[in-house]
Amino acid sequence: MKQWVLSGTRGTDSLQLQDVPIPEPSDYEVLVKFHAASLNFRDIMVANGQYYIKTKDGVIPGSDAAGEIVEVGPKVTRFTTGQRVSPIFHLTHLYGSVKDSDTQNQLGGTYDGVFREYAVFNEQGCVEIPSTLSYLEAATLPCAALTAWNALYGGSKTLKPGDVVLTQGSGGVSIFALQFAKLGGAQVISTTSSVEKGTKLRELGADVIINYAEDSEWGQTAKRQSHRKRGADFVVEIANTMAQSSRAVANDGCIATIGRRGGSEGGAGTSHSSVLATVRRILVGSRELQEDMNAAIDVNHLKPQIDGRSFKFYELKEAYDYFQKGSHFGKVVVDFD
């Protein structure tokens, strides 16, 4: 089989394609043949040596993929051959709050990831993908979609109909947050610097579009345009704009900061003590939460937003380069078939 590895931290120059034997599952493992994968900003950070934890030397990159089980170990009980699955991002985070040890068990970081044709996983580290999605669509879910779902439904305060959600930009997490918010009956305010992307966000259901390139005080604008002018009940903070997010959030609202990207902006208004809201850092989510999300996707026939350009397995370097340009809308996918 073929697999991509990162030999260094020189970005796409570190990606190397290898030929290796197909692994065999042990007692409690399943062998998965991948059909599709997708890229996240985190993959770029890993390739450039900028990730917040030390990654495995020569790691196989990527965390988001979908495939079919082609062989099971003799003691496996959760799955059978032929089922369509995805591995989970944190391989040991099965339910409840994330533990420190869970954060060290990451696909495509501390553990070999998904940019390979076959992989074995402990049966506990996989979930069945939604039956209504193709492999390409399902490959977008494990990191970006679950992060967005966790931001809205994974905390002590969860989204309810009539709430206001503020999303930032048009990357994977932001678009999934928009879709999940509309699914839950919320008003969605989306920011962007592109008129074209603003039109696409509105087509996906955004109620208000704010061009942050033209409005430096977009946080206050968002609050004024929110339902009853009370501000956003949930801010999905991915752009290092805590000052503006703090101005946009409602009293008793929640600012969900995503990974290591959100919430580091300086300047006036960044003091958490001046904001009557909860600041909650999101680090993907548990297997249980992912199963809840997949059920909601299935029941509501929600379709992930995939960028218009896709790539083949052998074009992974080109996919990385395209992703880094930032011109994509939605998820960038890699087709293994």
Side-chain angles (χ1 to χ4, degrees), residues 283-330:
L283 197 58
V284 194
S286 67
R287 187 188 76 187
E288 180 181 47
L289 204 59
Q290 187 167 347
E291 290 170 337
D292 290 344
M293 176 191 74
N294 286 353
I297 289 171
D298 244 350
V299 168
N300 291 281
H301 297 273
L302 185 146
K303 292 292 185 179
Q305 178 65 41
I306 294 176
D307 186 74
R309 184 176 177 187
S310 64
F311 298 84
K312 291 295 186 180
F313 180 78
Y314 61 85
E315 297 177 313
L316 187 61
K317 288 187 177 184
E318 290 86 345
Y320 268 67
D321 288 337
Y322 177 71
F323 187 96
Q324 289 185 87
K325 291 177 182 177
S327 60
H328 58 283
F329 184 84

Side-chain angles (χ1 to χ4, degrees), residues 217 241-247 265-271 274:
E217 294 298 327
T241 54
M242 184 61 82
Q244 294 302 319
S245 293
S246 298
R247 295 181 181 116
E265 177 198 42
T270 60
S271 172
S274 67

Side-chain angles (χ1 to χ4, degrees), residues 225-236:
Q225 297 198 42
S226 66
H227 180 58
R228 296 179 180 172
K229 297 180 172 56
R230 61 182 301 272
D233 298 282
F234 293 87
V235 178
V236 183

Side-chain angles (χ1 to χ4, degrees), residues 186-308:
Q187 179 196 32
V188 176
I189 301 171
S190 296
T191 68
T192 181
S193 62
S194 164
V195 173
E196 179 184 359
K197 289 183 177 181
T199 299
K200 292 179 179 179
L201 289 167
R202 194 175 289 279
E203 289 172 353
L204 285 173
D207 300 284
V208 177
I209 302 295
I210 300 173
N211 190 321
Y212 64 81
E214 299 175 353
D215 185 353
S216 61
E217 294 298 327
W218 55 263
Q220 294 178 352
T221 302
K223 193 163 196 173
R224 287 196 302 271
Q225 297 198 42
S226 66
H227 180 58
R228 296 179 180 172
K229 297 180 172 56
R230 61 182 301 272
D233 298 282
F234 293 87
V235 178
V236 183
E237 165 60 64
I238 60 103
N240 295 338
T241 54
M242 184 61 82
Q244 294 302 319
S245 293
S246 298
R247 295 181 181 116
V249 71
N251 289 347
D252 294 326
C254 176
I255 301 175
T257 66
I258 306 306
R260 295 277 168 162
R261 298 186 68 187
S264 66
E265 177 198 42
T270 60
S271 172
H272 296 172
S273 63
S274 67
V275 180
L276 297 176
T278 299
V279 178
R280 178 173 174 254
R281 184 184 168 209
I282 307 297
L283 197 58
V284 194
S286 67
R287 187 188 76 187
E288 180 181 47
L289 204 59
Q290 187 167 347
E291 290 170 337
D292 290 344
M293 176 191 74
N294 286 353
I297 289 171
D298 244 350
V299 168
N300 291 281
H301 297 273
L302 185 146
K303 292 292 185 179
Q305 178 65 41
I306 294 176
D307 186 74

Side-chain angles (χ1 to χ4, degrees), residues 5-53:
V5 298
L6 283 169
S7 59
T9 54
R10 306 180 312 279
T12 54
D13 289 338
S14 298
L15 284 168
Q16 294 186 350
L17 191 60
Q18 297 179 338
D19 279 298
V20 297
I22 296 175
E24 296 182 2
S26 61
D27 283 353
Y28 295 98
E29 291 181 329
V30 296
L31 175 64
V32 179
K33 174 180 170 58
F34 287 127
H35 290 279
S38 69
L39 283 169
N40 295 291
F41 180 76
R42 174 248 197 191
D43 298 319
I44 306 302
M45 297 175 71
V46 171
N48 287 287
Q50 299 169 339
Y51 201 46
Y52 75 98
I53 60 173

